[in-house]
PDB file of all heavy atoms in Angstrom:
ATOM      1  N   ARG A  50      23.257  10.026 -10.117  1.00  0.00           N
ATOM      2  CA  ARG A  50      22.142  10.757  -9.523  1.00  0.00           C
ATOM      3  C   ARG A  50      21.514  11.691 -10.560  1.00  0.00           C
ATOM      4  O   ARG A  50      22.210  12.485 -11.196  1.00  0.00           O
ATOM      5  CB  ARG A  50      22.641  11.566  -8.334  1.00  0.00           C
ATOM      6  CG  ARG A  50      21.504  12.081  -7.507  1.00  0.00           C
ATOM      7  CD  ARG A  50      21.971  12.842  -6.287  1.00  0.00           C
ATOM      8  NE  ARG A  50      20.778  13.405  -5.699  1.00  0.00           N
ATOM      9  CZ  ARG A  50      20.208  12.933  -4.607  1.00  0.00           C
ATOM     10  NH1 ARG A  50      20.750  11.947  -3.957  1.00  0.00           N
ATOM     11  NH2 ARG A  50      19.092  13.458  -4.166  1.00  0.00           N
ATOM     12  N   GLU A  73      20.615   2.200 -11.776  1.00  0.00           N
ATOM     13  CA  GLU A  73      20.522   0.775 -11.437  1.00  0.00           C
ATOM     14  C   GLU A  73      21.406  -0.075 -12.349  1.00  0.00           C
ATOM     15  O   GLU A  73      21.893  -1.130 -11.944  1.00  0.00           O
ATOM     16  CB  GLU A  73      19.066   0.289 -11.445  1.00  0.00           C
ATOM     17  CG  GLU A  73      18.298   0.476 -12.737  1.00  0.00           C
ATOM     18  CD  GLU A  73      17.594   1.831 -12.835  1.00  0.00           C
ATOM     19  OE1 GLU A  73      18.124   2.832 -12.292  1.00  0.00           O
ATOM     20  OE2 GLU A  73      16.517   1.888 -13.464  1.00  0.00           O
ATOM     21  N   LEU A  82      27.786   3.098  -4.051  1.00  0.00           N
ATOM     22  CA  LEU A  82      28.078   4.326  -3.318  1.00  0.00           C
ATOM     23  C   LEU A  82      27.616   4.177  -1.875  1.00  0.00           C
ATOM     24  O   LEU A  82      26.435   3.937  -1.623  1.00  0.00           O
ATOM     25  CB  LEU A  82      27.343   5.507  -3.984  1.00  0.00           C
ATOM     26  CG  LEU A  82      27.334   6.829  -3.203  1.00  0.00           C
ATOM     27  CD1 LEU A  82      28.748   7.376  -3.008  1.00  0.00           C
ATOM     28  CD2 LEU A  82      26.467   7.876  -3.916  1.00  0.00           C
ATOM     29  N   GLU A 155      25.593   0.849   5.657  1.00  0.00           N
ATOM     30  CA  GLU A 155      26.138   1.017   4.306  1.00  0.00           C
ATOM     31  C   GLU A 155      27.209  -0.044   4.030  1.00  0.00           C
ATOM     32  O   GLU A 155      27.262  -0.609   2.939  1.00  0.00           O
ATOM     33  CB  GLU A 155      26.739   2.425   4.137  1.00  0.00           C
ATOM     34  CG  GLU A 155      25.732   3.573   4.237  1.00  0.00           C
ATOM     35  CD  GLU A 155      24.772   3.615   3.062  1.00  0.00           C
ATOM     36  OE1 GLU A 155      25.174   3.981   1.942  1.00  0.00           O
ATOM     37  OE2 GLU A 155      23.594   3.251   3.268  1.00  0.00           O
ATOM     38  N   GLN A 158      25.627  -3.350   3.386  1.00  0.00           N
ATOM     39  CA  GLN A 158      25.112  -3.437   2.016  1.00  0.00           C
ATOM     40  C   GLN A 158      26.246  -3.652   1.028  1.00  0.00           C
ATOM     41  O   GLN A 158      26.149  -4.459   0.106  1.00  0.00           O
ATOM     42  CB  GLN A 158      24.338  -2.163   1.661  1.00  0.00           C
ATOM     43  CG  GLN A 158      23.065  -2.012   2.489  1.00  0.00           C
ATOM     44  CD  GLN A 158      22.325  -0.712   2.196  1.00  0.00           C
ATOM     45  OE1 GLN A 158      22.751   0.085   1.371  1.00  0.00           O
ATOM     46  NE2 GLN A 158      21.225  -0.501   2.886  1.00  0.00           N
TER      47      GLN A 158
ATOM     48  N   ASP B 429      15.552  11.391  -3.068  1.00  0.00           N
ATOM     49  CA  ASP B 429      16.631  10.741  -2.325  1.00  0.00           C
ATOM     50  C   ASP B 429      16.363   9.255  -2.166  1.00  0.00           C
ATOM     51  O   ASP B 429      17.244   8.425  -2.366  1.00  0.00           O
ATOM     52  CB  ASP B 429      16.756  11.355  -0.925  1.00  0.00           C
ATOM     53  CG  ASP B 429      17.371  12.738  -0.977  1.00  0.00           C
ATOM     54  OD1 ASP B 429      17.882  13.122  -2.046  1.00  0.00           O
ATOM     55  OD2 ASP B 429      17.333  13.429   0.057  1.00  0.00           O
ATOM     56  N   GLN B 430      15.108   8.947  -1.783  1.00  0.00           N
ATOM     57  CA  GLN B 430      14.754   7.537  -1.602  1.00  0.00           C
ATOM     58  C   GLN B 430      14.886   6.783  -2.919  1.00  0.00           C
ATOM     59  O   GLN B 430      15.418   5.677  -2.968  1.00  0.00           O
ATOM     60  CB  GLN B 430      13.312   7.408  -1.108  1.00  0.00           C
ATOM     61  CG  GLN B 430      13.147   7.803   0.344  1.00  0.00           C
ATOM     62  CD  GLN B 430      11.691   7.750   0.765  1.00  0.00           C
ATOM     63  OE1 GLN B 430      10.785   7.832  -0.070  1.00  0.00           O
ATOM     64  NE2 GLN B 430      11.464   7.618   2.056  1.00  0.00           N
ATOM     65  N   TYR B 433      18.505   6.284  -3.845  1.00  0.00           N
ATOM     66  CA  TYR B 433      19.124   5.305  -2.946  1.00  0.00           C
ATOM     67  C   TYR B 433      18.790   3.884  -3.416  1.00  0.00           C
ATOM     68  O   TYR B 433      19.662   3.030  -3.528  1.00  0.00           O
ATOM     69  CB  TYR B 433      18.608   5.544  -1.531  1.00  0.00           C
ATOM     70  CG  TYR B 433      19.345   4.806  -0.439  1.00  0.00           C
ATOM     71  CD1 TYR B 433      20.661   5.126  -0.111  1.00  0.00           C
ATOM     72  CD2 TYR B 433      18.711   3.806   0.299  1.00  0.00           C
ATOM     73  CE1 TYR B 433      21.325   4.468   0.909  1.00  0.00           C
ATOM     74  CE2 TYR B 433      19.371   3.141   1.322  1.00  0.00           C
ATOM     75  CZ  TYR B 433      20.674   3.474   1.631  1.00  0.00           C
ATOM     76  OH  TYR B 433      21.334   2.825   2.641  1.00  0.00           O
ATOM     77  N   ARG B 435      17.749   2.919  -6.417  1.00  0.00           N
ATOM     78  CA  ARG B 435      18.307   2.626  -7.743  1.00  0.00           C
ATOM     79  C   ARG B 435      19.807   2.398  -7.653  1.00  0.00           C
ATOM     80  O   ARG B 435      20.362   1.547  -8.333  1.00  0.00           O
ATOM     81  CB  ARG B 435      17.988   3.765  -8.714  1.00  0.00           C
ATOM     82  CG  ARG B 435      16.503   3.899  -8.982  1.00  0.00           C
ATOM     83  CD  ARG B 435      16.212   5.062  -9.905  1.00  0.00           C
ATOM     84  NE  ARG B 435      16.583   4.747 -11.283  1.00  0.00           N
ATOM     85  CZ  ARG B 435      16.597   5.652 -12.267  1.00  0.00           C
ATOM     86  NH1 ARG B 435      16.283   6.916 -12.016  1.00  0.00           N
ATOM     87  NH2 ARG B 435      16.921   5.303 -13.478  1.00  0.00           N
ATOM     88  N   ARG B 437      21.236   0.973  -5.448  1.00  0.00           N
ATOM     89  CA  ARG B 437      21.440  -0.396  -4.961  1.00  0.00           C
ATOM     90  C   ARG B 437      21.004  -1.436  -5.990  1.00  0.00           C
ATOM     91  O   ARG B 437      20.928  -2.611  -5.700  1.00  0.00           O
ATOM     92  CB  ARG B 437      20.681  -0.604  -3.651  1.00  0.00           C
ATOM     93  CG  ARG B 437      21.158   0.269  -2.495  1.00  0.00           C
ATOM     94  CD  ARG B 437      22.645   0.059  -2.188  1.00  0.00           C
ATOM     95  NE  ARG B 437      23.086   0.831  -1.025  1.00  0.00           N
ATOM     96  CZ  ARG B 437      23.926   1.851  -1.074  1.00  0.00           C
ATOM     97  NH1 ARG B 437      24.429   2.246  -2.238  1.00  0.00           N
ATOM     98  NH2 ARG B 437      24.287   2.475   0.024  1.00  0.00           N
TER      99      ARG B 437
END
Side-chain angles (χ1 to χ4, degrees):
Chain A
R50 193 178 173 105
E73 57 271 33
L82 169 63
E155 296 291 288
Q158 294 177 0
Chain B
D429 287 349
Q430 286 176 337
Y433 192 68
R435 295 178 74 189
R437 297 302 184 248

